[in-house]
Amino acid sequence: MSQDAQVSSSSAPTLEDVARVAGVSRATVSRVVNGVRNVDPAIQEAVRAAVAATGYRPNRAARSLVTRRAETIALVVSGAGGDSAEEQDAFAARAFGDPFFGRVVSGVIGYLRPHGMHPVLMFAETAAARAEVVAYLRQGSADGALVVSTHAEDPLPPMLAEAGLAAVLFARPARPVPLSYVDLDHRDGGRLAAERLLGLGRRRPATIAGPLDVPAGQERLAGFRDAMARGGQPYVPVAEGGFTARSGAEAMARLLADHPDLDAVFAANDLMAEGACRVLLEQGRRVPEDVAVVGFDDSPAATACRPPLTTVRQPVEDMAAEMARLLRQRIEAPGTPVTSAVFDPELVVRESA
């Protein structure tokens, strides 16, 4: 870097500093920094290199005046909750206590950060909170919303669609709504779990299903049952859980009481599988010698479980990043048609099956 191109260490680098290093005009730097499309790719690369060399950071307020965007995304955890402070605190505690949400946040931030966008976490568990989310977006405080619903009949997605707001959902909604979403082939994940247990020679399987009013719970159960039927196992006892370790433990206890000779269990998420393993060990059943257990998600609970869980991997971080990409695309091109991105599951073999 030449002497006249160096940036003084006593002040923050400016657009003029970047322009001097890149050998272009200040106006050109401004267009690249603000995402204007009709700039020659070679010039864009030179400007980005100069930005990196100088350590320049755009002024978000000034940039927003140019782009008319907040450069902020609302990451909304939505579902059913009560109106009392205690019930709202419990809703937030459940969200933070589930490793799934941490993985979603990680994937979203990993995508947004290089694009100069920032997430704002919002909870929408009551009618008032949902109205607040819609108002927040309408007034331009955020450019769009990434929505993770915890309740099958969540009214927030249709509210966002009716308001014409940019939004992308994590998981296919229970009822059709004109919003883009990312999801997993849950039915195929259930198939992978069944084929693993059948391949181990297990012939008295049972399953702990997720909530059966949620599409993911329905699809995982259907895929497992279908594959078991193709493998010669037409009847699979089912106990419904709630995607928590406690519900998995309670469901496992019911299954053992009704079917004490079972030799395999598929739990529709890792937290329920972890609870199931705890009950099995408490009742003197060895895992996997007496009962093989397969979970779903490949979350931190899978490796924390004893023994470590064989599980069906859901690439949550990649799915969350794709959700953020689809929303950014929608923000930059509002006429973009709604779409879906469905990911493939993968079996991860550990010690439980």
Side-chain angles (χ1 to χ4, degrees):
M1 186 183 298
S2 64
Q3 185 71 26
D4 64 342
Q6 292 181 1
V7 179
S8 170
S9 60
S10 63
S11 61
T14 65
L15 282 177
E16 287 78 8
D17 295 322
V18 177
R20 196 160 54 245
V21 172
V24 299
S25 69
R26 183 187 187 281
T28 297
V29 172
S30 178
R31 290 165 67 199
V32 173
V33 167
N34 289 311
V36 177
R37 293 178 179 272
N38 60 341
V39 179
D40 182 89
I43 294 177
Q44 291 186 44
E45 185 58 36
V47 171
R48 292 191 184 103
V51 167
T54 60
Y56 173 74
R57 293 291 181 270
N59 182 300
R60 291 185 64 205
R63 179 171 174 172
S64 293
L65 290 174
V66 175
T67 63
R68 297 187 179 181
R69 296 181 195 152
E71 306 294 344
T72 297
I73 298 299
L75 177 56
V76 185
V77 182
S78 181
D83 292 324
S84 70
E86 292 79 9
E87 289 172 308
Q88 293 177 41
D89 288 345
F91 179 83
R94 285 196 300 274
F96 285 122
D98 190 330
F100 168 83
F101 294 107
R103 296 176 67 193
V104 170
V105 171
S106 176
V108 166
I109 291 176
Y111 178 83
L112 292 180
R113 181 178 290 157
H115 296 285
M117 304 176 79
H118 306 274
V120 172
L121 181 62
M122 303 184 75
F123 290 99
E125 74 283 19
T126 65
R130 287 188 285 273
E132 182 180 348
V133 169
V134 173
Y136 188 80
L137 293 165
R138 275 180 163 157
Q139 68 190 18
S141 298
D143 299 315
L146 301 171
V147 180
V148 182
S149 290
T150 63
H151 189 267
E153 298 299 327
D154 184 4
L156 182 60
M159 289 171 64
L160 295 171
E162 290 167 10
L165 297 167
V168 178
L169 312 179
F170 194 107
R172 173 170 57 93
R175 296 185 179 181
V177 61
L179 294 176
S180 296
Y181 66 82
V182 300
D183 207 349
L184 186 78
D185 188 340
H186 298 283
R187 186 178 288 258
D188 195 48
R191 175 190 65 81
L192 291 173
E195 290 179 350
R196 174 63 181 175
L197 295 174
L198 288 168
L200 293 173
R202 304 303 169 118
R203 294 296 180 265
R204 297 182 300 280
T207 183
I208 301 172
L212 295 179
D213 61 346
V214 175
Q218 298 167 5
E219 292 294 304
R220 293 176 193 182
L221 176 60
F224 185 74
R225 278 176 157 170
D226 288 349
M228 277 292 175
R230 288 195 300 272
Q233 301 298 316
Y235 173 65
V236 178
V238 180
E240 186 176 355
F243 285 147
T244 65
R246 179 176 178 178
S247 70
E250 292 170 348
M252 188 73 256
R254 296 195 301 273
L255 287 170
L256 283 174
D258 295 337
H259 307 278
D261 63 341
L262 61 82
D263 66 358
V265 173
F266 166 51
N269 84 337
D270 292 336
L271 287 174
M272 294 194 300
E274 187 178 28
C277 285
R278 185 170 66 249
V279 169
L280 287 167
L281 295 174
E282 288 171 355
Q283 297 202 16
R285 311 296 177 92
R286 296 171 300 164
V287 178
E289 294 85 354
D290 300 324
V291 181
V293 178
V294 175
F296 203 110
D297 283 338
D298 195 26
S299 68
T303 52
C305 185
R306 291 295 175 266
L309 284 173
T310 290
T311 186
V312 176
R313 183 170 189 271
Q314 178 174 203
V316 174
E317 293 84 356
D318 293 341
M319 295 166 69
E322 177 64 9
M323 180 171 62
R325 187 193 71 81
L326 290 174
L327 181 61
R328 179 169 173 260
Q329 181 183 62
R330 183 80 171 175
I331 291 167
E332 293 185 348
T336 302
V338 297
T339 188
S340 57
V342 179
F343 287 69
D344 293 322
E346 176 187 354
L347 184 71
V348 178
V349 176
R350 295 193 180 93
E351 297 174 26
S352 68

